[in-house]
Amino acid sequence: MMRHPDHLGDEERRQFIAVLAQCPELTAIHRHVRTFAEILTTRSRQHLKDWVTATRAEDLPGLHTLAGLEKDSDAVVQGVTTCWNSGPVEGRVNHIKMIKRQMFGRAKLPLLRKRVLLTGAQGSHRTQA
């Protein structure tokens, strides 16, 4: 469901269609997910409000929190319409958290700092090669 339909093989597409035929709620969720993906891909802010309204109209609790984006609509519109994102920063934060988990909470800040700096330096060498 999260992959673009064009990237599915023939057998995967047949299986997916069979699953959707068995569950009307899943079919509705799939329709909303595809529409939302289209909004993000085309950066079309004008369709975002229609998508939130359509999603709220159906009894799909899994999408209601996503439809709650209207509470901070200015930030959401900026996120949808601009090419800027915080992906690299979030990736680095996740990397630091992974290093902390690997140390099992036994190391203090100096060792964590050293490991973060060393792995960052190793990553920059990999991208240059």
Side-chain angles (χ1 to χ4, degrees), residues 1 5 16 20 25-35:
M1 183 177 295
F16 187 59
L20 290 179
E25 292 86 6
L26 193 58
T27 303
I29 288 173
H30 178 255
R31 185 178 66 251
H32 288 298
V33 166
R34 289 283 9 121
T35 304

Side-chain angles (χ1 to χ4, degrees), residues 33-127:
V33 166
R34 289 283 9 121
T35 304
F36 191 70
E38 186 68 27
I39 290 169
L40 292 179
T41 309
T42 60
R43 301 187 191 282
S44 56
R45 70 189 280 178
Q46 63 272 18
H47 299 298
L48 189 59
K49 186 175 266 188
D50 296 336
W51 181 85
V52 168
T53 304
T55 304
R56 288 219 180 265
E58 293 195 50
D59 187 24
L60 302 167
L63 291 179
H64 284 180
T65 52
L66 191 57
L69 294 173
E70 63 192 1
K71 293 177 186 171
D72 196 8
S73 64
D74 292 339
V76 172
V77 167
Q78 286 300 313
V80 168
T81 57
T82 63
C83 62
W84 303 104
N85 68 63
S86 61
V89 174
E90 293 297 325
R92 194 67 181 145
V93 168
N94 285 335
H95 183 249
I96 292 170
K97 288 180 179 181
M98 181 206 51
I99 292 171
K100 282 180 70 175
R101 284 191 300 271
Q102 287 176 340
M103 296 190 314
F104 301 106
R106 293 185 295 231
K108 301 294 180 216
L109 188 59
L111 179 59
L112 175 62
R113 182 178 182 275
K114 189 170 192 167
R115 287 194 66 192
V116 167
L117 291 174
L118 286 173
T119 57
Q122 290 171 350
S124 66
H125 290 302
R126 275 184 253 148
T127 56

Side-chain angles (χ1 to χ4, degrees), residues 7-17:
H7 297 137
L8 295 175
D10 291 336
E11 183 60 30
E12 290 174 317
R13 189 173 289 114
R14 278 192 291 273
Q15 288 175 350
F16 187 59
I17 290 170

